[in-house]
Amino acid sequence: MIMPVNSRSLYSSLQVRQLEREYAANTSTSTYALMEKAGQSLWQHVQQQYPKASNIVVCCGRGNNAGDGFVLARLAANAKLSVQVIIINKNFEYTGDAQRAYTSIIDLITTEPERKTYAINNADVIVDALLGTGFRSPLEPEFIELIHQINTAKAPTIAVDLPSGLNADSGAVNEVAVKAHTTVTFIGIKPGLVTAKGLDYCGVLRLETLEVDTVHTIPFAHWLSYDDYKNRLKKRELDSNKGDYGHLLAIGGDQGMSGAIKLASLAALRTGPGWLSMLTHPAHSSFLAFDQPEIMVKAFDEQIHDSAQNLLASLLKKSTSILLGPGLGQNDWSRKIFKQTITSNKRMVLDADALNLLAQNPVKKNCWILTPHPGEAASLLGCSTREIQNQRFEAAQEIARRYGGIVVLKGAGSIVFSKKDQNPRKLVCRGGNPGMATGGMGDLLAGIIAGLLTTGYELLTAAELGVLLHARAGDMSAEKEGTIGMLASDLIPFIRVLMNHPSV
C-alpha cells in the first residue's frame, strides 16, 4: 500500500547519496546530524503507529542504515522502553557516522551476541536497519537467516529507508527480503520501492525528506498521478460528429482467440473514438459482428490472398490509428497481417503477439506505442523474464532504443518510457491492484491507449493517460467488489465513467 506523499519525484540511490553529501557540504549540517534526524523520525513513527509498544528489537547491519537504527535505539531506551539491538557479525568495526551512533548506545543497551536464532519473538515492534541503498546481491547466509526470522515473527516491522534485500533502484529481490509493514524512506523515494517486488515488500510507504532540498536535482523518474491528468481529458463540442473522433482499426483474434480483440475493442470504444473497425479471423468474424453491433467486423481470409490484402490496405488507409496484436497469434495468418500492417505510418499500438512478431522481424518506428508485459519484453530483448524484472527501467529504455516509439512496460508499477530530443522520460504508475493479475487486462490497456490515440491525444499523453485510466478503473472495481475474482470485462463500465467524470 502506497500512502500519499508530497513528492512525486523518484531518485536513484546514487542521487540520494549525492544529495546527502551536497546538503552537508553546503549547509552547517553534518551528515551525522542527518543521521540523527533520520533516527528521530523513525522514533516518531514508532510512537505514532505503536504507542503501546514496550519491547523493541532493532536489527542492524554494517553501514549507515545501521547508524539510523542505533539512533532510534538510543531514543527508545531513553524513553524507558526495553530495547534489544541485534548486530549481524558482532566483530565488525563501524566507521564514520555509524561508529559515532554505535558508541552512543554502548552504555544503554546490551547487543545480542552473534548466533543462529535471535530472540525476536517477544518484540512488539521490529526495526529493520540491516541493509541500506548500497546493498547489492547476493546476501550472506547470516542475513538470509535473520530476514527469514523477521518475516515469520508476529511483530510488525518498520524498514529503515528500504526493506533489506530489496534493490533500491530496480525493486528486484534475488534471495529474500524483509516484508515490512511500513517503510520510512529518507530524502527521496527510490524507484525500487514503487515497481516490481518493491510494492509487495515495502508495505505502507512514508517519506521523510529530512529537509534536504531536491529542487535542483533532475529526478531519475516520476510517479504518474491520476490527479495530474484528469484535467487533461478532452470534452466534446456540442456541434460534433463521429468523424471528429477518429476511426480505430483493431487487428487480432486468431482462431480460438477472439476474446482478446473483443476486450481490447470494447475498452477502446469506451474512450470515445468515432467508430471502430475490427479485422479478425473468418472463423468468428460473423459471431463478433452479431455480438457487438457497434463494431464493424471484417474477416481476413488468407485463402483469398489478394482480396484479403486489398481489404487490409483499404482499412489501413481509412483508419486514424491502429491497434495490432490482441489474440493475433504467431502463424502464417498472423505473419501476413503483421507484415502488411507495419508498413503503415499511421499511429499504432502494438501488443501481445504483435510484439513477439516484432522481436522476430525487428523494425524501428517512432509512430507507435509498444505495451509489453515482462515476457514479451524478454522476447524483444532476447533475454529472460527475470532479467527484465531485475532491471525494469533499463529494459524499457533499451526496448525504446531498439524499436523506437513509446514503451509501456506492464506489471506492478507499470513504467512508461519515452525519449524526445535526447531527453529520457520515465514514469511509474502508482495505481492498480493484485486483482488485475488476470487474463485480458493487457488487452484492455492496449485498447484504452489505442482509443485515446484515435480521438486525438498525442502518443505520450495517450500512453500515460491510458495507463492511469486502466489502473484507476481496476481500483474502482476492487473498491466495489474486491480483488479476488475480478475480470477484465469488469473494468469496462468504469472506463466510461472515468472519461466523463474524471474526479471520481
Side-chain angles (χ1 to χ4, degrees), residues 394-413:
E394 291 81 358
Q397 183 167 346
E398 181 60 16
I399 292 169
R401 187 191 71 80
R402 292 191 193 184
Y403 300 96
I406 312 288
V407 175
V408 176
L409 180 55
K410 296 180 289 194

Side-chain angles (χ1 to χ4, degrees), residues 343-363:
T343 62
S344 172
N345 289 320
K346 297 286 181 71
R347 301 192 303 173
M348 65 180 78
V349 177
L350 265 61
D351 186 48
D353 276 324
L355 296 168
N356 292 319
L357 291 173
L358 180 63
Q360 299 164 27
N361 306 273
V363 177

Side-chain angles (χ1 to χ4, degrees), residues 441 444 473 477 481 485-494:
M441 286 292 176
L444 245 61
S477 178
E481 296 182 316
M486 185 188 297
L487 302 179
S489 56
D490 293 337
L491 275 59
I492 292 174
F494 295 109

Side-chain angles (χ1 to χ4, degrees), residues 186-224:
F186 302 122
I187 300 178
I189 301 166
K190 289 76 181 175
L193 294 172
V194 298
T195 193
K197 293 294 185 182
L199 294 166
D200 282 322
Y201 284 83
C202 73
V204 176
L205 178 60
R206 301 188 183 276
L207 171 66
E208 293 288 347
T209 65
L210 307 182
E211 299 179 346
V212 174
D213 184 7
T214 60
V215 171
H216 302 294
T217 299
I218 298 174
F220 173 83
H222 291 87
W223 245 341
L224 273 173

Side-chain angles (χ1 to χ4, degrees), residues 429-433 436 466-476 491:
C429 181
R430 64 190 300 180
N433 60 81
M436 299 172 74
V467 167
L468 288 166
L469 285 169
H470 181 252
R472 181 68 186 123
D475 288 340
M476 289 173 70
L491 275 59

